Every structure is written in structure tokens, then in C-alpha cells.
Amino acid sequence: MNMQASTVFGPPAPRALAEMQLPMVMMRDILLKTVFRKNVDVVTEIARAICLPVPVAQELVDLARGQKLLEATGTLHANSGGEMGYQLTEAGKARALDALTQSEYYGAMPVPLEVYAEQVKRQSIRNIQITRSQLTGAMGHLILPDSLLDHLGPAVSAGRSILMYGPPGNGKSSISNGIRDALGDRIYIPRAIEYAGQVITVYDPIVHTAAEEQEDDPTALRRSAGRTDTRYVLCRRPTVITGGELSLSMLDLVYNPTARTYQAPLQLKATGGVFIVDDLGRQADPPQALINRWIVPLEESRDILALQSGEKFEVPFDTLVIFSTNFHPNEIFDRAALRRIFFKIKVDGPCQEDFLKIFALVARKKKMPIDEDTLIYLLREKYPTIDNAYANYQPVFLIDQMIAICDFEGIPSQMSPELIDRAWANMFVREETIVH
């Protein structure tokens, strides 16, 4: 696949405490909690733990020393380049414990929401231009009609919402994943952001895939003037995939009452990437309610979240949202909701020619010899019974069934009309009355 090189400029590292735009008490308390929890005692280690350049970490250490919360141990660490060691004073320990009761958060210094919003603009998904070759490369394992790619390409490049609908088993989920794979570049995800003195963790190893060259060594931090802000992690554009389990509450800030910290909701973690709502219509919440929740974000590129206190605030919404459903859109949405979804793309079953291409592709992959008479039997005898409704999932299903039967019977993988009959019987359930 033709992967795009990363063209996003990394956020510059802060050069002084004055540039941080965070409350000074908050920064000092995170420093004390980190020293207490991680037992770091030299500035290069402290700098790495709180993800700040060494000179800025030194400023913070000096501030805490001035308030008699940290003290020099008077020993030089030979294994740390002869650095001075530091430890918490009794007052520092008391302050760290008190700060931990207010919020368990420690480690990477958060990025102020306004600063993060600027980085979101720099790496917006709407800045991406997907070429036909990139999209077809990412969809290489799928047999798709050109007309479908004609609609998908502009939709992905626009970075707007997409609704894919059509009968089940025709690859809507696979197409969504292909779109994700076509976005080959990388962006910067903050470990945590700050709003109104509250810390919201964003980086999530389950959602985000960190780039291999993420630097994490003290010598890099020493030279960090003009370098990238290590409060961010360089990652592939994120993808969040949800299905029938999605509920409206999952789109709210997650508050941990024990740790007194917040975790970003799914759509905030997906910023700069793709949010896939698969199987729309199978959730506990009605589809109309789910779409209504997305109206402001989709139209205004901003989302509104609420703190425990009830205070509401805006966060950037820069996400390609893909809705996928087996229902006809008119069955589950009103016209106002449909108008707000930018692209509506029907994903139909394959024509007979494409069905045969898929069948041959799957057979070759699974080392199943093709038998022409069996294929003719399948097309002439079986498909007319279901009005020739071909679907992308059927070749895999039928071939897997025939392989399973051959394995059971102890014969080499092969296809025959009799095996097709047995496989077909498992693909559909006959209408019949069950006597209780």
C-alpha cells in the first residue's frame, strides 16, 4: 500500500514554565506527586517522568525548593552524569499526599485545551487528500465496483460524515477498516489535556498505536529546545470501532470518583482519525437519538462535554465519522438527520461477475480446487431460489463449509453439487413450523 509520509509538524516543546499556560500550583503538585509515586530523584529522570524539557523541569524543581517542598540530597549521582539528587521534604510529602487526595493524576504534564486545539488544526483529518491508488491499495483484499470507489474517495478526502447502507454481508465493515488503513500518516496525541484545573487523559494504548521512533531518553530531553513536545505521543491516525454496544453515555466524559480524574470519551480519543459506528440500529439507544447527539459535532466541528460539576465546555471535533447500517436510512432517520450526514453511499451485493471473482479469489486463498460444473450448478440451481441475491460473505461461507465437510469425511478439499447442497443448507434456515 502506498503509505503517506507524516507531514504533520510536531508541537514545539515549551522552553520555559511561563510558556506552559497551566496553573502554577497544578504543575507543582503534579511534580510532587510524580516524585512521590515514581521515586525519581534527579532532574533528567523527573523531566522524563513529567514529559518536559530538562530546563523547564529544573525551573519547576527550583520553584518547589523555594517553597521548601523539595530539598537537595547533597549527593551527586555517578550513573546520572554527576547530577544533583533531590527528595521531598516532610512538608513536600504532606503536600503530595494532600494533592493525591484531590486527584490521583501524576506523570506527564497535561496540555491546556486551547493549546491542544491548535495542534488539532495543524493535523486536521480534513487536510488529508486520499488518491484513488491509496484507497484501492487499502481495499486490495476486496472486490469492489469502480462506482463505489468513485463515491468513497471524495467522501474520505472531505473528512466529513459517511453513511454506508445496504444488505448485510457485503463488506461495509471491511470497507470502513480499509478507509482507516488508507490514512497512512501519523499525528500527535496528548497524553492528557487540562481544562479548568481538571486533567482529562486522552492517550489510550488500546485506541492509539504509537509510532516506533517515539524517543524516550534523557539525552534527547537535554537537547529538547526546538524539539517536539514529549507530552504528546506520535501515533497512527486513531480508529475507534463501536457496534451494538455503543450507548449515548459512552460519548460523555468518564469520571473516576476514586482517582478523581477524567478519561476522554471515545470520540475525543478518535480526534484526527476515524470513528466507526457499525451495525447502526442494533444499539439500545434509537438511531435517531444517536444521530441527534452528533448533530453539533458534525456541523460545527466542536463537541460539548460536561464536568462532574455540570460545567460545560467545548472540545475540538475533527473526526471522520462512518455510520454503517443494514437498514434503509429512511427506516431509522428523519429527513433532518439524513441531511446532516454529508455522504450517503449504498453498498450493494456483487453482480454475478464480481461474485465469481470473489469466489475464485477465496478458493485460491483456501487452496480449494475450482470445479466448473459445480459453479454452474450453484448459479443455475441455487441462486434462483433466493432471487439471485449475491452477497460478498457467501463465497467464504460456502467454501469454509465444504472444507469442513471434506475434513470430517476424510477426503481432500473439493467441491461438488452434493457438497454445495450441504453447505447451502447451513447458509439459510428454512421457513418451517416448530411444534412445541
Side-chain angles (χ1 to χ4, degrees):
M1 188 179 76
N2 178 15
M3 297 286 279
Q4 294 173 317
S6 177
T7 53
V8 173
F9 289 107
R15 290 166 298 183
L17 268 187
E19 288 183 14
M20 294 287 292
Q21 298 177 46
L22 287 170
M24 203 61 81
V25 170
M26 176 191 232
M27 289 193 287
R28 182 206 66 194
D29 284 354
I30 288 175
L31 166 74
L32 298 176
K33 287 187 284 184
T34 306
V35 169
F36 181 77
R37 282 278 193 238
K38 288 199 160 189
N39 201 27
V40 284
D41 60 357
V42 294
V43 174
T44 49
E45 286 178 3
I46 292 169
R48 190 193 298 121
I50 60 176
C51 298
L52 291 181
V54 168
V56 183
Q58 185 69 61
E59 268 191 87
L60 203 48
V61 166
D62 292 344
L63 175 85
R65 282 184 78 190
Q67 295 176 1
K68 302 201 167 21
L69 301 170
L70 273 182
E71 62 188 1
T73 58
T75 55
L76 297 176
H77 285 240
N79 59 351
S80 299
E83 279 190 76
M84 176 67 69
Y86 296 95
Q87 65 186 19
L88 293 168
T89 62
E90 287 306 312
K93 277 181 196 164
R95 179 60 213 160
L97 288 166
D98 185 42
L100 282 164
T101 63
Q102 294 170 43
S103 165
E104 277 279 343
Y105 184 83
Y106 65 92
M109 209 59 72
V111 177
L113 177 57
E114 301 78 24
V115 176
Y116 172 51
E118 290 303 311
Q119 182 61 25
V120 170
K121 284 180 195 167
R122 284 193 286 269
Q123 60 194 25
S124 172
I125 193 154
R126 294 184 186 176
N127 297 341
I128 280 189
Q129 286 303 310
I130 295 287
T131 64
R132 186 179 285 272
S133 64
Q134 279 168 330
L135 200 53
T136 50
M139 307 279 182
H141 59 301
L142 301 171
I143 305 284
L144 300 175
D146 286 341
S147 57
L148 180 56
L149 290 171
D150 292 343
H151 292 299
L152 274 178
V156 177
S157 287
R160 306 289 288 271
S161 51
I162 300 171
L163 171 65
M164 287 193 287
Y165 66 99
N170 284 309
K172 292 185 292 294
S173 303
S174 300
I175 291 166
S176 300
N177 292 333
I179 289 170
R180 172 196 65 190
D181 294 341
L183 306 175
D185 64 343
R186 296 176 299 206
I187 61 171
Y188 290 88
I189 307 290
R191 298 171 198 273
I193 57 175
E194 174 271 342
Y195 172 77
Q198 300 295 320
V199 177
I200 302 162
T201 58
V202 178
Y203 174 71
D204 179 348
I206 295 169
V207 171
H208 302 112
T209 306
E212 287 173 10
E213 58 265 37
Q214 185 71 24
E215 287 195 48
D216 189 22
D217 68 84
T219 54
L221 286 163
R222 279 185 183 284
R223 303 191 307 271
S224 60
R227 294 181 69 86
T228 301
D229 191 339
T230 55
R231 291 178 295 168
Y232 293 81
V233 183
L234 183 63
C235 298
R236 286 180 61 191
R237 286 191 182 268
T239 303
V240 171
I241 304 174
T242 63
E245 79 284 0
L246 178 66
S247 64
L248 285 167
S249 62
M250 290 163 75
L251 304 176
D252 296 331
L253 273 178
V254 182
Y255 182 67
N256 182 329
T258 311
R260 294 183 175 82
T261 57
Y262 290 91
Q263 190 181 118
L266 292 173
Q267 73 277 18
L268 186 54
K269 289 179 182 179
T271 300
V274 184
F275 192 109
I276 298 170
V277 182
D278 211 354
D279 273 339
L280 188 63
R282 305 277 181 214
Q283 291 78 14
D285 295 304
Q288 186 69 45
L290 283 168
I291 286 292
N292 288 347
R293 170 64 181 81
W294 294 91
I295 284 173
V296 169
L298 291 176
E299 289 201 333
E300 301 182 19
S301 299
R302 64 187 179 92
D303 196 9
I304 297 164
L305 300 176
L307 297 172
Q308 279 291 103
S309 62
E311 182 184 352
K312 294 187 175 178
F313 64 103
E314 286 183 13
V315 293
F317 186 87
D318 182 72
T319 311
L320 171 62
V321 184
I322 302 174
F323 300 102
S324 169
T325 183
N326 298 332
F327 296 96
H328 192 282
N330 292 339
E331 290 176 28
I332 54 176
F333 299 129
D334 62 22
R335 285 187 179 178
L338 276 176
R339 194 176 66 244
R340 289 178 166 99
I341 299 175
F342 210 69
F343 292 92
K344 291 164 274 288
I345 300 172
K346 189 166 188 222
V347 181
D348 266 325
C351 62
Q352 190 184 87
E353 184 188 346
D354 282 345
F355 171 83
L356 288 171
K357 279 185 195 169
I358 296 165
F359 200 96
L361 201 72
V362 174
R364 189 162 64 247
K365 193 173 170 185
K366 293 181 178 282
K367 298 182 170 50
M368 165 69 84
I370 293 276
D371 178 71
E372 210 169 298
D373 290 339
T374 303
L375 275 181
I376 291 167
Y377 174 78
L378 177 64
L379 299 181
R380 284 189 182 164
E381 301 298 325
K382 292 298 181 186
Y383 273 96
T385 66
I386 57 164
D387 298 323
N388 293 317
Y390 300 103
N392 284 333
Y393 80 93
Q394 292 163 352
V396 176
F397 187 95
L398 290 169
I399 290 168
D400 279 348
Q401 287 281 332
M402 288 189 283
I403 289 170
I405 296 166
C406 291
D407 287 348
F408 175 70
E409 302 289 0
I411 57 175
S413 286
Q414 56 192 272
M415 57 179 72
S416 67
E418 186 225 344
L419 288 169
I420 282 287
D421 283 341
R422 290 173 69 177
W424 188 270
N426 281 330
M427 197 155 69
F428 301 103
V429 177
R430 286 198 310 274
E431 291 292 336
E432 55 190 344
T433 304
I434 298 173
V435 180
H436 295 282

